[in-house]
Amino acid sequence: MESETKDKKIDDRDSSFSEKDRLRYHTFRMVSVGVVDEPLNQAYDVVTTIALILNLIVMVLNTFEDLQIKYGDIFTILENITVLIFAIDYILRLYTSRYLYPESKPGKALLRYIFSFAGIVDLLSFLPFYLPVFFPSGASVFRFFRVARIMRLFRINAYYDSLNVITEVLSSKKSQLLSSVFIILILMLASSLCMYSVEHEAQPEVFRNAFSGIWWSASTLLTVGYGDIYPITTMGKFLGIAITFLGVGMVAIPTGIISAGFVEQYTRLKRIGDKGIQEDIKFIQVKLGSKDAWVGRKVRDIGLPQGVTIAVIQRGRETIIPKGNVELKPGDKLVIGAEALKNDTPVDLKEIVIHREHEWNGEAVRDLDISRQTYLVMIRRNGRSIVPNGNTMLKTGDSVILYTQKKAAGPEEPEDQE
């Protein structure tokens, strides 16, 4: 919903864009993950995704000494190319940041992106690669920050609803998860203090102070149990058993919260999907030709039947949210839909294919014998959509879209009797 709101704000201002602003806006749509309405946008997503995957593969393979010796030059070339793509992507996102935050001024929008989580990840994706050139002594530290490139994988969420569910669950259950982590931290500190009191005299070198048992309490409460630090006194062993049982319960808390969040999210999505199926909303796409009757007319003047609406107008590379004063032009692609029913009047949207023997074959639209409650909305012919007028002739192979408003069936009236 947030991205749709941003697009609507931008579309409302699109008519006043200068040529420079249009270039910036289309660049923004290109770098925005998941916007694949044009081949260029789709190609950009494919290139950046392949670059990320190749970079991560090279980063992993470089840890194998034999592979590094044998294919080191190839790995270096691939890393140079992919990191350059990351750098270009970051520059383009800086250039288009004002459309990422359309409610902010350009300077503030730029700062918001730079200091956002996504902006920091994008910066760390390429900057540590070039820093050793200027600061050779910090090469090992800069290499560590290259791991931030893995975080770019979260952008794949835009393509897969199942991954989106993960982020939505973590976001919706954020307060409960933070509370559970806070409880675990308190128990870790408490168990460390208790173990120090019991084990300090027996193991002064192991449990030196209150914080010496933090490692032991963390591994015990989180059920890892490395065994490098452990109690040797009887009281310490009993305390260790109790803390271990307590740790099982503590780990179960965030697990239960996340599991419940997944169940709630999938239930909500299923409910929305079921509701959408029950509403049975249908959409069709119409492309206006230069001779169509709607060309040159405003949306409010074209006289659509009640219950039919124009949802979106695609004009070249622009997506327009239609208003009453929007004038239709040749080449416009209209997405027309039948609204969900909220009354007792049934509406039927059906498609009829005209065969050679069909009685409508060769007939003009105005001569068709159809009900007054039925409207011929669109004709599909040879892969293109035609908005019909009275003179339009139907041909073999045409697909005709009819919109029918029916009267609700009532009780049959008795025949008049003499």
Side-chain angles (χ1 to χ4, degrees):
M1 288 297 293
E2 185 179 354
S3 61
E4 292 176 3
T5 305
K6 290 179 182 177
D7 286 345
K8 186 174 181 180
K9 288 181 180 178
I10 294 169
D11 287 334
D12 290 341
R13 301 183 332 213
D14 197 38
S15 58
S16 61
F17 277 176
S18 65
E19 199 61 36
K20 182 179 179 181
D21 289 333
R22 287 182 185 276
L23 175 62
R24 193 191 303 265
Y25 172 58
H26 291 308
T27 303
F28 167 72
R29 292 185 64 81
M30 181 182 72
V31 301
S32 297
V33 179
V35 180
V36 291
D37 54 347
E38 297 179 21
L40 179 62
N41 299 350
Q42 189 171 4
Y44 186 85
D45 282 356
V46 171
V47 169
T48 52
T49 302
I50 291 175
L52 175 58
I53 294 173
L54 281 176
N55 187 276
L56 294 178
I57 291 174
V58 168
M59 190 165 59
V60 171
L61 294 181
N62 255 327
T63 62
F64 295 87
E65 188 174 348
D66 53 341
L67 293 178
Q68 205 280 332
I69 294 172
K70 191 173 183 180
Y71 303 105
D73 293 339
I74 298 176
F75 292 163
T76 301
I77 293 172
L78 287 175
E79 189 169 16
N80 286 332
I81 294 173
T82 54
V83 171
L84 179 62
I85 292 174
F86 297 156
I88 294 173
D89 180 74
Y90 182 74
I91 293 171
L92 292 178
R93 291 181 188 278
L94 291 176
Y95 175 66
T96 60
S97 58
R98 66 177 62 180
Y99 297 120
L100 184 63
Y101 304 102
E103 71 280 0
S104 302
K105 294 181 179 179
K108 187 176 180 181
L110 179 64
L111 292 176
R112 285 184 65 181
Y113 169 69
I114 291 174
F115 293 104
S116 67
F117 176 76
I120 293 172
V121 169
D122 291 340
L123 181 64
L124 293 178
S125 297
F126 72 93
L127 188 61
F129 180 80
Y130 297 111
L131 284 179
V133 177
F134 306 100
F135 307 99
S137 59
S140 59
V141 178
F142 298 144
R143 191 177 296 111
F144 170 79
F145 284 106
R146 296 181 188 180
V147 180
R149 297 170 192 169
I150 297 175
M151 305 301 292
R152 293 175 67 98
L153 288 172
F154 282 109
R155 286 212 173 105
I156 299 178
N157 283 9
Y159 300 106
Y160 301 102
D161 290 337
S162 57
L163 292 179
N164 277 325
V165 169
I166 297 175
T167 56
E168 289 172 5
V169 168
L170 293 178
S171 177
S172 62
K173 300 296 181 181
K174 178 173 60 177
S175 58
Q176 293 94 322
L177 290 172
L178 289 176
S179 299
S180 64
V181 170
F182 181 68
I183 293 173
I184 291 174
L185 292 176
I186 292 176
L187 288 174
M188 285 173 57
L189 181 59
S191 61
S192 177
L193 286 169
C194 291
M195 193 58 65
Y196 167 77
S197 301
V198 173
E199 292 289 322
H200 175 65
E201 293 184 4
Q203 302 183 82
E205 295 298 324
V206 177
F207 293 91
R208 295 182 180 181
N209 50 52
F211 289 97
S212 298
I214 289 290
W215 170 249
W216 173 85
S217 60
S219 61
T220 303
L221 279 170
L222 300 178
T223 67
V224 178
Y226 285 104
D228 52 344
I229 299 176
Y230 54 89
I232 61 174
T233 65
T234 303
M235 187 62 185
K237 291 178 180 178
F238 277 113
L239 187 59
I241 292 172
I243 293 174
T244 302
F245 276 106
L246 192 61
V248 174
M250 289 302 100
V251 172
I253 291 176
T255 303
I257 292 172
I258 295 174
S259 299
F262 273 108
V263 172
E264 291 175 8
Q265 189 68 14
Y266 279 117
T267 302
R268 185 180 71 85
L269 292 175
K270 185 177 183 301
R271 185 171 63 250
I272 293 173
D274 290 344
K275 184 177 180 181
I277 293 172
Q278 292 170 6
E279 295 287 359
D280 197 24
I281 301 174
K282 296 184 178 180
F283 292 92
I284 55 177
Q285 180 174 289
V286 180
K287 184 174 182 180
L288 298 182
S290 58
K291 298 181 179 180
D292 286 326
W294 288 0
V295 171
R297 302 176 66 181
K298 295 182 178 180
V299 171
R300 62 169 171 260
D301 299 329
I302 60 178
L304 284 173
Q306 184 177 2
V308 175
T309 183
I310 297 178
V312 174
I313 301 174
Q314 188 74 34
R315 180 173 295 166
R317 295 185 176 182
E318 303 176 23
T319 299
I320 302 172
I321 305 299
K323 297 180 180 179
N325 59 352
V326 175
E327 184 175 317
L328 301 178
K329 299 180 180 180
D332 284 355
K333 293 180 181 179
L334 314 182
V335 178
I336 301 176
E339 295 178 348
L341 298 178
K342 296 186 174 78
N343 50 43
D344 296 331
T345 306
V347 174
D348 185 31
L349 192 65
K350 67 171 65 175
E351 181 175 1
I352 297 176
V353 179
I354 306 299
H355 299 290
R356 185 181 301 274
E357 296 81 16
H358 198 282
E359 59 181 353
W360 289 358
N361 188 22
E363 293 285 330
V365 170
R366 64 169 175 268
D367 298 327
L368 299 182
D369 184 19
I370 56 178
S371 168
R372 291 185 178 180
Q373 282 77 37
T374 300
Y375 302 87
L376 203 159
V377 179
M378 186 187 72
I379 300 172
R380 289 177 177 164
R381 178 178 295 165
N382 298 327
R384 64 189 187 94
S385 301
I386 301 173
V387 179
N389 55 39
N391 297 323
T392 304
M393 301 291 293
L394 298 181
K395 300 180 180 180
T396 302
D398 286 352
S399 294
V400 179
I401 309 298
L402 298 177
Y403 172 94
T404 304
Q405 182 173 335
K406 300 178 180 179
K407 294 183 178 180
E412 294 183 1
E413 297 181 1
E415 297 180 359
D416 292 336
Q417 296 180 359
E418 296 181 357

